[in-house]
């Protein structure tokens, strides 16, 4: 083995993770170039490190059996991770990624998409449920941006062939920001999607979810009962998780034992026992529910009823004195009844266990600065059922980023399960049960009211119309 003299002052220029991932060691600085020992000398690797560090480099080949002892000697401590951050403060890539996060938080975006195609790369934000392009990225800088994000998420930057998942946690203006990171290999480069979990206390206030007074009364009556099942239905992205968290926050009292099984845990609730689903090791929804029953629970929440075992155990828990919350992917409240019976839940058990079914959607709200009133025109499948004489159109202005919408609100359909409906459910006569419902407005009627009052557009309402 050749004896090599390492310039100790250069060690902090890369992090421990970078050294091990790239299999490189800083050697010396000579004639304006940073020289590295490397197990391979490829142009791709050289360009990536140059972009990442913002410096010209030279790679000096070294056998694998020689670099491993050097890595162990100089980069064995995890505390060296912080050096990368300190050295990178002046990096354009780091500044750009920091700006990207800041802008997304200021806008109130829920996701960031970092994606590359054959001749372009871009970054889009999911804002108010829609993807909006915010940045074009130079193809030469794309890999460095991806590497920076992967380093922050403690992912393997050398692995580009397999999907990876990680998390980033930081503070912004006194607010805790938790970011879920997912990378997948694409034809022209990795795609990164970042989910920003930045719920404020306002979002977890059940009084601010958007219930009408009558709907709120029905919902509060159901969630304060000592046992039974409360189901929240709707497609992905309809706000079901936020409603669940807001509900549990209200019920979270010192005298209550609340336990959840989630996939994933999107928000930490102090005083509530939260469990992360891990099906790869056998920790499924139904297995967790079985374990919860031995934990002296008062309230249980299962993220989603996906299969027969989970549905049956949830019903059993509700019938043995526990209050159970869960979600289903159905279009409306009534579909939840047939879905559960299709899963094998006996109708008489379902009727006895259910307390309330809540269907919901998230609807974009028209921008108050630019919406325009017009006389209504016939719209197939919507206006012919409702008396709407005029409505508003989205125009677009700087306030709403020229989308015509600013903010979103929940729209609900509340179905309380009373004795009459229970009897109809037992006989699987859902049409009869539907005719017995209290005079609470349906999801479609609530959508029509939003159009009528100028809160949303007909086009937006039609997207969620049943």
């Amino acid at each position: 083995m050749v004896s090599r003299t390492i310039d100790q002052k250069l060690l902090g220029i890369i992090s421990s993770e970078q050294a091990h991932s790239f299999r490189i060691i800083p050697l010396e600085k000579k004639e304006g170039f940073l020289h590295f020992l490397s197990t391979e000398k490829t142009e791709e690797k050289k360009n990536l490190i140059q972009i990442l560090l913002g410096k010209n480099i030279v790679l000096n080949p070294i056998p694998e059996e020689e670099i491993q002892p050097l890595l162990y000697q100089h980069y064995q401590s995890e505390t060296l991770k912080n050096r990368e951050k300190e050295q990178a403060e002046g990096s354009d890539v780091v500044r750009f990624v920091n700006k990207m996060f800041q802008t997304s938080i200021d806008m109130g975006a829920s996701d960031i998409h970092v994606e590359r195609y054959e001749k372009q790369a871009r970054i889009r934000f999911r804002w108010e449920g829609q993807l909006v392009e915010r940045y074009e990225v130079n193809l030469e800088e794309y890999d460095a941006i991806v590497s920076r994000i992967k380093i922050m998420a403690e992912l393997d930057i050398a692995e580009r062939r397999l999907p990876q998942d990680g998390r980033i946690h930081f503070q912004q203006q006194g607010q805790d920001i938790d970011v879920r990171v997912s990378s997948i290999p694409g034809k022209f480069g990795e795609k990164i999607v970042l989910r920003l979990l930045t719920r404020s206390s306002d979002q977890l206030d059940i009084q601010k979810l958007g219930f009408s007074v009558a709907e709120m009364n029905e919902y509060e009556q159901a969630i304060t009962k000592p046992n039974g099942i409360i189901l929240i239905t709707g497609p992905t992205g309809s706000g079901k998780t936020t409603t669940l968290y807001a509900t549990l926050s209200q019920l979270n009292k010192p005298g209550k034992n609340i336990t959840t099984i989630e996939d994933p845990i999107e928000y930490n609730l102090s005083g509530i026992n939260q469990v992360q689903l891990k099906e790869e090791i056998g920790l499924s929804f139904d297995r967790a529910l079985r374990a919860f029953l031995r934990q002296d629970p008062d309230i249980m929440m299962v993220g989603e009823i996906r299969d027969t075992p989970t549905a049956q155990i949830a019903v059993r828990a509700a019938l043995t004195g526990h209050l159970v919350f869960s979600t289903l992917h159905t279009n409306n409240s009534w579909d939840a009844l047939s879905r559960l019976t299709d899963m094998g839940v006996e109708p008489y058990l379902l009727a006895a266990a259910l307390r309330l079914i809540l269907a919901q959607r998230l609807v974009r709200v028209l921008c108050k600065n630019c919406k325009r009133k017009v006389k209504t025109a016939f719209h197939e499948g919507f206006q012919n059922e409702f008396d709407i004489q005029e409505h508003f159109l989205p125009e677009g202005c700087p306030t709403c980023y020229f989308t015509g919408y600013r903010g979103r609100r929940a729209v609900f359909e509340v179905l309380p399960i009373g004795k009459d409906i229970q009897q109809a459910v037992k006989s699987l006569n859902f049409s009869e049960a539907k005719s017995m419902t209290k005079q609470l407005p349906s999801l479609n009627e609530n959508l029509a009211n939003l159009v009528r009052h100028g809160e949303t557009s007909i086009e937006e309402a039609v997207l969620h119309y049943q």
Side-chain angles (χ1 to χ4, degrees):
M1 183 181 293
V2 179
S3 175
R4 303 181 187 275
T5 303
I6 306 294
D7 187 344
Q8 300 294 312
K9 296 179 181 178
L10 295 178
L11 291 175
I13 203 164
I14 59 173
S15 69
S16 176
E17 185 171 353
Q18 288 172 326
H20 284 275
S21 296
F22 284 113
R23 315 298 289 169
I24 57 175
I25 297 282
L27 179 63
E28 62 182 355
K29 189 172 184 179
K30 186 177 178 181
E31 298 176 354
F33 286 82
L34 279 173
H35 288 251
F36 286 83
L37 300 175
S38 173
T39 52
E40 60 178 358
K41 184 180 179 181
T42 64
E43 201 65 20
E44 180 185 4
K45 183 174 181 179
K46 175 185 172 183
N47 289 338
L48 180 55
I49 297 171
Q50 284 187 155
I51 293 171
L52 194 62
L53 299 180
K55 302 179 185 298
N56 293 320
I57 70 164
V58 174
L59 296 178
N60 300 283
I62 182 175
E64 174 65 29
E65 61 269 18
E66 290 189 29
I67 202 166
Q68 186 57 44
L70 292 172
L71 287 170
Y72 180 80
Q73 177 184 353
H74 297 293
Y75 290 102
Q76 61 176 329
S77 173
E78 287 298 307
T79 59
L80 290 176
K81 281 186 176 181
N82 293 328
R83 294 189 183 180
E84 180 269 336
K85 186 182 291 185
E86 294 167 3
Q87 292 291 331
E89 287 301 323
S91 165
D92 289 340
V93 170
V94 172
R95 281 198 295 268
F96 175 77
V97 172
N98 290 343
K99 177 185 176 183
M100 176 188 75
F101 278 121
Q102 180 63 61
T103 304
S104 66
I105 293 165
D106 290 344
M107 280 183 65
S110 62
D111 301 84
I112 302 172
H113 290 241
V114 183
E115 47 202 2
R116 177 172 180 167
Y117 305 96
E118 183 177 9
K119 296 181 180 179
Q120 69 169 131
R122 64 181 179 180
I123 294 176
R124 294 187 291 171
F125 293 169
R126 187 170 292 282
W127 183 75
E128 313 296 9
Q130 305 293 314
L131 282 171
V132 179
E133 185 169 330
R134 288 296 295 170
Y135 302 108
E136 281 190 23
V137 177
N138 293 330
L139 293 179
E140 297 79 17
E141 297 176 347
Y142 184 82
D143 287 341
I145 292 170
V146 168
S147 292
R148 173 60 183 166
I149 294 170
K150 291 174 74 174
I151 288 169
M152 294 175 72
E154 299 185 352
L155 301 179
D156 184 354
I157 60 176
E159 179 55 76
R160 304 181 187 178
R161 301 164 298 172
L162 296 172
Q164 296 186 70
D165 294 297
R167 295 185 90 95
I168 301 171
H169 183 81
F170 59 93
Q171 281 200 331
Q172 191 77 42
Q173 298 175 347
Q175 185 181 15
D176 284 331
I177 310 296
D178 196 25
V179 183
R180 235 174 40 229
V181 182
S182 172
S183 74
I184 59 171
K187 183 176 180 180
F188 300 104
E190 289 179 281
K191 174 174 179 175
I192 303 281
V193 175
L194 305 105
R195 166 63 59 88
L196 303 172
L197 306 174
T198 58
R199 289 184 178 85
S200 68
S201 57
D202 281 350
Q203 289 176 291
L204 298 182
D205 184 345
I206 197 171
Q207 302 295 332
K208 297 182 180 179
L209 292 180
F211 287 107
S212 69
V213 174
E215 290 169 341
M216 187 77 258
N217 288 337
E218 291 287 354
Y219 189 65
E220 285 191 319
Q221 283 182 36
I223 68 175
T224 52
K225 290 180 178 178
N227 54 61
I229 294 180
I230 311 294
L231 284 177
I232 301 178
T233 74
T236 300
S238 58
K240 299 187 298 295
T241 301
T242 299
T243 300
L244 277 176
Y245 280 144
T247 304
L248 293 180
S249 295
Q250 175 153 316
L251 298 175
N252 186 15
K253 309 294 182 186
K256 296 290 184 181
N257 177 19
I258 304 177
T259 308
T260 75
I261 173 72
E262 305 173 54
D263 182 29
I265 296 173
E266 294 195 10
Y267 191 75
N268 296 324
L269 296 173
S270 179
I272 292 178
N273 306 291
Q274 295 173 273
V275 178
Q276 170 66 52
L277 183 79
K278 293 181 181 177
E279 296 205 64
E280 65 274 12
I281 62 171
L283 183 56
S284 57
F285 281 132
D286 61 301
R287 188 169 182 180
L289 275 175
R290 286 191 184 95
F292 289 174
L293 290 172
R294 298 189 291 272
Q295 290 281 314
D296 186 30
D298 297 296
I299 299 170
M300 294 184 286
M301 188 271 274
V302 54
E304 181 184 351
I305 294 179
R306 297 177 179 173
D307 50 37
T308 298
T310 306
Q312 291 177 338
I313 296 167
V315 169
R316 173 187 155 198
L319 293 174
T320 54
H322 306 92
L323 188 60
V324 181
F325 291 88
S326 192
T327 69
L328 272 178
H329 286 285
T330 61
N331 287 329
N332 54 56
S333 315
W334 296 102
D335 286 350
L337 295 170
S338 56
R339 175 70 62 82
L340 289 170
T341 54
D342 289 345
M343 285 182 177
V345 179
E346 293 291 344
Y348 72 95
L349 294 177
L350 181 61
L354 277 175
R355 296 292 176 265
L356 180 138
I357 303 174
L358 176 70
Q360 71 176 77
R361 298 291 188 277
L362 278 182
V363 177
R364 290 189 294 170
V365 176
L366 286 165
C367 176
K368 295 179 180 179
N369 292 330
C370 64
K371 65 181 182 180
R372 178 168 59 89
K373 183 186 290 187
V374 294
K375 293 294 182 182
T376 195
F378 176 78
H379 194 295
E380 185 177 354
F382 187 79
Q383 286 175 273
N384 54 322
E385 294 186 29
F386 303 102
D387 180 24
I388 299 175
Q389 301 302 320
E390 59 186 22
H391 64 103
F392 289 81
L393 295 177
E395 286 288 294
C397 67
T399 301
C400 60
Y401 301 97
F402 299 98
T403 64
Y405 299 91
R406 184 70 177 175
R408 289 191 293 175
R409 60 154 295 164
V411 183
F412 300 102
E413 178 180 82
V414 178
L415 175 60
I417 309 296
K419 290 183 179 180
D420 290 342
I421 295 179
Q422 284 181 339
Q423 195 60 41
V425 171
K426 285 181 186 179
S427 59
L428 293 179
N429 194 341
F430 296 150
S431 59
E432 179 186 344
K434 198 168 185 178
S435 67
M436 297 176 181
T437 55
K438 296 182 179 180
Q439 297 304 307
L440 289 174
S442 68
L443 189 68
N444 289 344
E445 289 169 336
N446 280 331
L447 286 169
N449 283 332
L450 291 183
V451 173
R452 194 175 291 114
H453 298 145
E455 289 191 59
T456 195
S457 66
I458 287 180
E459 289 73 20
E460 181 70 9
V462 167
L463 290 176
H464 306 284
Y465 184 76
Q466 296 302 307

